[in-house]
């Protein structure tokens, strides 16, 4: 299709006029986080600016005879909680050469808010933080890495970031043009050899990939990203990862030593310390339960965009489950993903407390390995706290030490959670 620049400009300004009116009339429903931060007008301006950029890019593509691929680009969120197997699931996308994968970019937002002054922290509420999360995700899905500079500490100079959380966990950030002459895609080697991240190159590189995936464990509920799901420009797919809360807690105890010290004492001594904080795992179960409720109730805004996956099902048959996920997202199955799964799901189970962040293990054995290392008293207490979540997801409770330690009997009921298509 050919058109003159005059015609293109007419279309641009006509479209902007319509969008400005629509955005202005609807902004009350979408700018709650901005109102909390006192930047209502900037939200509207940024929305219009995003549309200007998008339309001009489309116009330039048409003028130059280059097809615009925005509509076919998949944006994927791995929605999970800490220590639920999300790093493993993320590799299903990280190993795909067509996907630009990011590991926990919201970490920088959380740190920026946490490290702010006490006065500012008192003014920050949950909605403000979630608004910042959504803004960053929206910009990253547009390959806008400059927006991330608002949160990286120390602030990048000339778009060069000397810190980038778990940069090596993203193959895309360890390949040219972002990292040259790296012999293998090893996370620690990448972090050592390529010390800075050029955010300009990151943005340019991101645009060359057909799809994008982001893993996050920092958003509490599915409802918190509804505005992103409903954005027709994103073509967003949510892979909601769930895990037995007892396995989540066992992994946290072994990984976060200081934060879960009282739990560790309880687990090793059998005596419950008075300072055990039950609120964290209770909140985890509540958030998980609410999100599962939302997903399984099949609201219209999630149609074709939501898939619930249990970690234990992936661990039992990784390749089968991975292919189901790829089919739901609409991705071509890749040999690199198949090869990685074969190499990283048949290893020896790591001893409890070691290799905290590794994704290489005997996946089938790892799924319920927590049963051998969590004392019955803790399991019993957790079953009372999370009984609704356990029932929702098909995890059986145990009523004796023998039932807990009898690994020959799985506590994972055979359930089929079909994608909402």
């Amino acid at each position: 299709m050919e058109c003159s620049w005059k015609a293109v400009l007419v279309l641009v300004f006509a479209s902007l006029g319509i969008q400005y009116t629509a955005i202005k009339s609807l902004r009350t429903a979408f700018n709650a986080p901005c109102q909390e931060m006192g930047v209502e007008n900037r939200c509207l301006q940024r929305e219009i600016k995003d549309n200007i950029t998008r339309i001009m890019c489309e116009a330039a593509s048409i003028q130059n005879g280059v097809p615009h691929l925005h509509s076919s680009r998949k944006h994927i969120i791995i929605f999970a909680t800490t220590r639920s197997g999300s790093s493993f699931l993320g590799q299903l996308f990280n190993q795909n050469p067509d996907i630009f994968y990011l590991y926990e970019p919201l970490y920088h937002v959380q740190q920026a808010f946490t490290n702010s002054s006490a006065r500012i922290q008192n003014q920050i509420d949950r909605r403000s933080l979630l608004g910042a999360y959504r803004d960053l995700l929206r910009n990253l899905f547009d390959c806008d890495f400059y927006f991330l500079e608002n949160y990286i500490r120390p602030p990048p100079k000339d778009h060069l970031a000397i810190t980038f959380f778990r940069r090596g966990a993203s193959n895309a950030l360890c390949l040219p043009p972002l990292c040259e002459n790296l012999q293998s895609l090893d996370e620690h080697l990448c972090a050592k050899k390529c010390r800075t991240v050029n955010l300009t190159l990151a943005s340019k590189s991101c645009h060359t990939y057909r799809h994008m995936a982001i893993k996050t464990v920092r958003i509490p509920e599915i409802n918190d990203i509804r505005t992103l799901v409903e954005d027709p420009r994103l073509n967003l797919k949510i892979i909601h990862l769930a895990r037995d809360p007892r396995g989540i807690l066992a992994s946290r105890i072994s990984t976060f030593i200081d934060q879960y010290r009282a739990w560790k004492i309880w687990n090793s001594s059998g005596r419950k310390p008075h300072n055990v904080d039950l609120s964290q795992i209770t909140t985890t179960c509540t958030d998980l339960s609410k999100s599962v409720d939302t997903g399984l109730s099949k609201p219209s805004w999630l149609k074709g965009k939501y898939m619930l996956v249990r970690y234990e099902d992936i661990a039992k048959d990784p390749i089968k489950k991975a292919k189901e996920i790829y089919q739901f997202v609409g991705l071509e199955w890749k040999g690199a993903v198949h090869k990685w799964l074969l190499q990283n799901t048949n290893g020896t189970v790591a001893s409890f407390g070691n290799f905290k962040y590794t994704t290489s293990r005997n996946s089938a054995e790892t799924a319920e390995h927590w049963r051998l290392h969590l004392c019955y008293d803790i399991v019993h207490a957790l079953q009372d706290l999370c009984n609704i979540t356990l029932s929702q997801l098909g995890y059986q409770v145990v009523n004796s030490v023998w039932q807990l330690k009898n690994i020959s009997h799985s506590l994972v009921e055979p359930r089929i959670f079909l994608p909402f298509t």
Side-chain angles (χ1 to χ4, degrees):
M1 176 181 176
E2 295 184 2
C3 57
S4 69
W5 276 109
K6 290 182 180 180
V8 170
L9 287 175
V10 170
L11 289 173
V12 167
F13 288 112
S15 176
L16 288 177
I18 295 170
Q19 291 187 48
Y20 180 85
T21 302
I23 293 168
K24 189 173 181 179
S25 64
L26 293 174
R27 65 182 177 181
T28 302
F30 289 98
N31 68 358
C34 303
Q35 291 173 337
E36 295 293 327
M37 303 292 284
V39 289
E40 178 182 349
N41 290 333
R42 272 185 288 173
C43 273
L44 181 59
Q45 291 167 6
R46 185 168 61 243
E47 186 76 16
I48 295 171
K49 181 181 177 182
D50 288 346
N51 283 306
I52 292 174
T53 302
R54 177 177 60 82
I55 295 170
M56 291 302 290
C57 286
E58 291 178 7
S61 297
I62 294 171
Q63 186 72 12
N64 295 321
V66 178
H68 186 67
L69 299 178
H70 191 279
S71 61
S72 63
R73 183 179 174 95
K74 303 290 194 305
H75 296 106
I76 305 146
I77 286 185
I78 299 170
F79 185 94
T81 190
T82 309
R83 307 309 298 172
S84 61
S86 59
S87 295
F88 179 81
L89 178 57
Q91 290 298 323
L92 300 186
F93 301 101
N94 190 38
Q95 298 300 321
N96 187 324
D98 289 339
I99 296 177
F100 194 102
Y101 172 74
L102 286 178
Y103 181 102
E104 296 295 340
L106 299 187
Y107 167 87
H108 294 287
V109 180
Q110 185 184 55
Q111 289 300 107
F113 275 67
T114 302
N115 295 334
S116 58
S117 68
R119 181 181 63 82
I120 295 176
Q121 283 193 42
N122 290 335
Q123 297 173 357
I124 298 171
D125 65 4
R126 181 177 183 273
R127 286 201 303 170
S128 300
L129 183 59
L130 289 172
Y133 284 158
R134 287 190 293 265
D135 281 349
L136 180 57
L137 287 172
R138 184 66 186 85
N139 280 271
L140 288 176
F141 279 133
D142 274 342
C143 295
D144 179 1
F145 279 75
Y146 298 129
F147 195 82
L148 190 57
E149 295 185 17
N150 296 316
Y151 304 107
I152 294 178
R153 301 292 183 271
K157 293 182 179 180
D158 298 323
H159 308 304
L160 294 177
I162 62 173
T163 60
F164 197 105
F165 181 63
R166 297 288 298 275
R167 179 256 186 92
S170 168
N171 287 351
L173 295 180
C174 297
L175 290 169
L178 288 154
C179 187
E180 302 288 348
N181 302 320
L182 195 64
Q183 299 301 315
S184 64
L185 287 172
D186 175 82
E187 176 174 351
H188 302 292
L189 185 61
C190 175
K192 181 179 179 180
K193 294 284 187 181
C194 307
R195 296 185 179 276
T196 62
V197 177
N198 186 320
L199 298 176
T200 299
L201 290 181
S203 293
K204 291 180 179 179
S205 177
C206 175
H207 280 293
T208 68
Y209 285 76
R210 295 182 62 188
H211 313 292
M212 188 174 191
I214 296 176
K215 178 181 90 76
T216 178
V217 296
R218 288 171 167 79
I219 298 177
E221 298 177 35
I222 290 289
N223 272 313
D224 295 325
I225 56 171
R226 178 171 176 173
T227 56
L228 295 178
V229 177
E230 292 181 322
D231 189 332
R233 296 168 296 173
L234 283 184
N235 192 14
L236 192 66
K237 303 286 185 178
I238 302 173
I239 308 300
H240 182 193
L241 179 65
R243 185 184 184 183
D244 190 324
R246 296 165 295 187
I248 290 174
L249 178 61
S251 183
R252 290 180 182 178
I253 292 172
S254 68
T255 304
F256 308 124
I257 304 299
D258 293 334
Q259 193 175 358
Y260 284 81
R261 190 174 301 279
W263 286 95
K264 197 172 186 68
I265 293 172
W266 185 5
N267 195 45
S268 58
S269 68
R271 295 189 298 273
K272 179 183 177 181
H274 65 86
N275 61 334
V276 168
D277 182 6
L278 301 177
S279 64
Q280 287 181 317
I281 193 63
T282 302
T283 299
T284 296
C285 288
T286 301
D287 289 341
L288 178 56
S289 181
K290 287 181 178 179
S291 291
V292 170
D293 260 346
T294 299
L296 297 186
S297 67
K298 298 184 176 181
S300 59
W301 57 274
L302 278 180
K303 184 175 177 60
K305 299 177 181 296
Y306 177 83
M307 181 178 187
L308 175 64
V309 182
R310 292 188 302 187
Y311 166 71
E312 293 81 5
D313 293 329
I314 299 177
K316 182 180 179 182
D317 197 340
I319 292 177
K320 177 178 179 291
K321 207 65 189 178
K323 287 184 176 181
E324 290 177 4
I325 292 171
Y326 263 57
Q327 182 178 8
F328 163 71
V329 175
L331 295 173
E332 177 186 353
W333 183 247
K334 294 291 183 179
V337 179
H338 191 98
K339 180 180 179 181
W340 186 90
L341 283 171
L342 290 177
Q343 292 176 340
N344 289 271
T345 57
N346 295 294
T348 302
V349 176
S351 59
F352 195 67
N354 295 326
F355 308 105
K356 299 171 185 175
Y357 299 103
T358 184
T359 53
S360 178
R361 60 199 68 185
N362 185 316
S363 60
E365 293 181 22
T366 301
E368 296 189 70
H369 197 60
W370 60 267
R371 296 168 60 181
L372 300 177
H373 301 280
L374 209 57
C375 75
Y376 176 72
D377 286 347
I378 289 181
V379 171
H380 182 70
L382 191 58
Q383 289 176 169
D384 286 341
L385 293 171
C386 301
N387 61 317
I388 294 176
T389 310
L390 293 169
S391 177
Q392 273 180 319
L393 292 166
Y395 298 122
Q396 296 178 1
V397 299
V398 295
N399 297 304
S400 67
V401 175
W402 182 85
Q403 285 183 328
L404 175 63
K405 305 303 179 183
N406 182 19
I407 297 295
S408 63
H409 174 73
S410 175
L411 300 181
V412 183
E413 297 175 1
R415 294 267 188 99
I416 297 176
F417 296 97
L418 295 175
F420 181 25
T421 56

